[in-house]
Amino acid sequence: MRILMHDYGRYAFPLQLSRALAARGHRVRHLFSASVPGPQDTFAKGPDDPANLEICGLRIAGEFAKNTLFRRRAQEMSHGYLAQEHVFQFQPDVVISSNTPLEAQNLVQQAAHACSARFMYWVQDLHGLAIWKILRKRLGVMGELIGRYYMRLERGLFQRSDELILITEDFKSVMENAGIPPERLHVIPNWAPIDEIPVREKENEWSRAHGLADKRCFIYTGTLALKHNPDLLLRLAQQFEPQEDVRVVVVSSGQKADEVKRDAESRALKNVIVLPFQPASVLPSVLAAADVLMAILDPDAGEFCVPSKILSYFCAGRAVLLSVPLDNLAARVVADEGAGVACSPYDTDGFIAAAQGLMDDARLRHTCGLRGLAYAQQHFDIEDITDEFENIIGAAERRMMPRAAARIGAEAVA
C-alpha cells in the first residue's frame, strides 16, 4: 500500500511510525515542514531505513513568520500547495495528516480526495478552538470573527475525513457535535520513540559543556508559544535564586524564548539559562541533565492541546512538574502514574511549592522518574502502535469498497 504521512510539525514519533510502516512493506513518503524551527538532524533517511521509505522536507521561501498573523497564513498556504504537489505525484492509497495548520490541511485533504485516497485526520490539537480563544483576546470582535471562520473550517475538515485518529478521548465530544459517526473515530494516545531516548547519567558531555553537571536543574524543552506562560519560569527562578546550585534552563527558540532571556537579564536573574533548540541527537543528554523536567499550558489551552513533551520526559526517567489544567490528559497521566506533580495554571504558589518539594527530595524525584519510565516501557511499543494504525487503514478500506463498487456500477450504466 502507498501511504503518504504528512506531519507539518516535524515530530519524532510520526517519523518512527513511517519507518515502522515501511518496514512492513508499505511504500511510505513522509512529508514535514523544513521551515518550522526545531531540530532537523534526525529528519533524513538513514542507512538502515528501507528503500521503500522517502523522507521529504518541504521548505517555503523566507524565514518562518511565526508571530506575524497574515504573513504566517500565506506561508502555511505555501506549504499546503507544496504538500498537494507531493500527493498528486505520489498517488497514495492513504494520506495520514497531522499537526497541520487548517488551511494547509484543507489543501492536503482536497488533493487526497482528488486522487481517491483515504484521508485520515490525525487530530493532535483542536486548532479552530485554539485560534478562536487566542484571537478574540488579542483582536476583540475581529478576532472573534476570524476564530469562528477557522472553527467552521476545522469542522468541515473533520466531516470530510474518512477516519479521525484522536490522541485523547477528550476530543470525542467535539467530533460527536460535528456529526462524525462513532465508527470513524479512533483513539491512539501519543507516544515517544523510547529507543531513541535512552536513560543517561546527569553528568554527560552536554551537561558538562553547559556547566550543568554539578547543578540542580529545572529544564523546559520545546516550543514556547501563545498557549504557554513563560513568566512562570521566571517566578520559579526568583524563588530559587538564593540557592546558588539551582538553574532554570529553557531550551527553545523564537520570540517567547527571547523574551524569557531578556526578562531574566532585566531582573538580574543569573540562574536562568536560555539555549536554542538542540540537535535531536543530544536530546537524551539534555533531558538527563535535568533533576526536574517541566511543561506548562495556559488555562484555556488545556481544552485543545495536550503537551506531548512529557512523553519524552517519561523516557528519560526524570520527575515531571506540570502547570496545566488538571483535567488535561497530561495532568491525569502524571498524577495517575505518580510520575511527578501537576498543578493548576491558576495556582502559581502551588507550582512553586511543588517545585521546592521535588528539588528537596531526591528519593521522590527518583521514584517519579522510575514510574514515568515504566509507563513509557509499557505503552510506547512501536509494533503494537503500528498494528493499531494498520487496523484503522484496513477499516477505512473496507468502508470504501461499497462506495467504490457503487461508483463503478453507476459509471457502467452511464
Side-chain angles (χ1 to χ4, degrees):
M1 182 171 289
R2 299 167 71 89
I3 301 172
L4 187 140
M5 182 76 68
H6 175 243
D7 172 42
Y8 177 86
R10 198 170 71 238
Y11 289 94
F13 62 94
L15 180 56
Q16 185 191 32
L17 176 61
S18 288
R19 287 186 161 119
L21 288 167
R24 295 189 178 191
H26 301 287
R27 183 173 174 186
V28 180
R29 180 175 292 186
H30 186 99
L31 306 182
F32 67 93
S33 171
S35 299
V36 175
Q40 302 249 8
D41 53 325
T42 60
F43 284 82
K45 191 165 180 179
D48 297 329
D49 284 334
N52 51 320
L53 172 67
E54 301 173 68
I55 302 173
C56 305
L58 309 185
R59 186 173 296 279
I60 57 175
E63 184 178 352
F64 183 63
K66 181 176 182 179
N67 298 296
T68 306
L69 181 63
F70 294 106
R71 187 177 169 206
R72 175 175 176 171
R73 176 180 179 270
Q75 291 180 328
E76 290 169 349
M77 292 285 286
S78 294
H79 174 93
Y81 286 119
L82 291 174
Q84 265 197 341
E85 292 176 10
H86 276 269
V87 175
F88 288 129
Q89 189 277 327
F90 188 60
Q91 290 290 306
D93 301 299
V94 174
V95 173
I96 304 173
S97 189
S98 69
N99 296 303
T100 304
L102 295 176
E103 285 165 319
Q105 184 81 317
N106 189 39
L107 292 170
V108 175
Q109 187 183 72
Q110 289 174 0
H113 288 160
C115 295
S116 299
R118 273 85 77 198
F119 184 84
M120 300 187 180
Y121 197 141
W122 191 357
V123 185
Q124 299 284 331
D125 298 297
L126 300 176
H127 292 286
L129 180 62
I131 293 169
W132 175 66
K133 288 195 170 189
I134 291 169
L135 291 188
R136 69 176 179 163
K137 287 184 178 180
R138 294 179 63 188
L139 303 177
V141 175
M142 180 61 71
E144 174 83 17
L145 295 173
I146 295 172
R148 291 198 175 277
Y149 160 76
Y150 281 105
M151 289 180 73
R152 288 194 299 272
L153 175 59
E154 184 172 54
R155 183 185 179 97
L157 287 167
F158 293 156
Q159 292 169 338
R160 293 189 296 273
S161 297
D162 295 290
E163 309 292 329
L164 293 111
I165 302 166
L166 316 178
I167 66 169
T168 171
E169 295 276 351
D170 299 343
F171 291 170
K172 274 192 172 180
S173 61
V174 174
M175 304 303 158
E176 290 166 357
N177 289 336
I180 310 299
E183 63 269 17
R184 285 164 52 195
L185 302 177
H186 315 271
V187 178
I188 301 180
N190 280 349
W191 70 96
I194 188 169
D195 292 343
E196 298 173 21
I197 310 175
V199 178
R200 290 187 176 166
E201 296 295 327
K202 177 180 178 65
E203 184 174 350
N204 56 63
E205 185 176 355
W206 187 89
S207 64
R208 289 192 296 269
H210 292 87
L212 301 174
D214 61 345
K215 301 295 188 292
R216 293 186 294 159
C217 297
F218 294 99
I219 294 184
Y220 177 96
T221 68
T223 303
L224 277 173
L226 294 174
K227 62 190 176 184
H228 305 111
N229 176 21
D231 189 62
L232 192 62
L233 304 175
L234 298 173
R235 292 283 302 275
L236 183 67
Q238 289 176 321
Q239 172 69 22
F240 283 89
E241 189 177 17
Q243 301 182 40
E244 295 184 356
D245 66 331
V246 174
R247 296 290 183 271
V248 176
V249 183
V250 178
V251 181
S252 187
S253 296
Q255 181 178 329
K256 288 287 186 180
D258 293 341
E259 288 178 8
V260 171
K261 185 175 182 178
R262 184 170 59 250
D263 291 347
E265 291 172 350
S266 69
R267 301 182 197 186
L269 293 171
K270 297 181 179 179
N271 59 344
V272 177
I273 299 174
V274 180
L275 299 170
F277 285 124
Q278 301 293 291
S281 57
V282 302
L283 177 62
S285 297
V286 174
L287 301 181
D291 295 272
V292 178
L293 290 161
M294 300 182 294
I296 56 177
L297 275 181
D298 274 352
D300 286 346
E303 188 176 353
F304 57 77
C305 179
V306 178
S308 59
K309 62 170 58 69
I310 70 161
L311 306 175
S312 297
Y313 292 174
F314 289 168
C315 298
R318 294 295 188 271
V320 176
L321 175 62
L322 302 182
S323 174
V324 302
L326 297 182
D327 59 353
N328 185 272
L329 176 62
R332 299 200 305 268
V333 172
V334 166
D336 292 346
E337 301 300 323
V341 182
C343 304
S344 166
Y346 297 108
D347 188 8
T348 301
D349 291 341
F351 180 83
I352 299 299
Q356 188 73 66
L358 285 169
M359 196 55 82
D360 288 346
D361 192 337
R363 180 175 293 180
L364 175 61
R365 294 198 308 272
H366 180 69
T367 299
C368 290
L370 288 179
R371 289 176 175 172
L373 179 61
Y375 178 88
Q377 291 169 335
Q378 181 179 353
H379 293 90
F380 298 171
D381 186 302
I382 188 58
E383 294 304 319
D384 291 343
I385 293 166
T386 306
D387 287 343
E388 293 187 70
F389 275 86
E390 284 195 317
N391 288 338
I392 295 169
I393 292 170
E397 190 171 20
R398 288 189 294 274
R399 272 193 287 277
M400 289 286 286
M401 288 174 64
R403 282 186 278 173
R407 185 178 67 250
I408 293 170
E411 291 172 352
V413 170

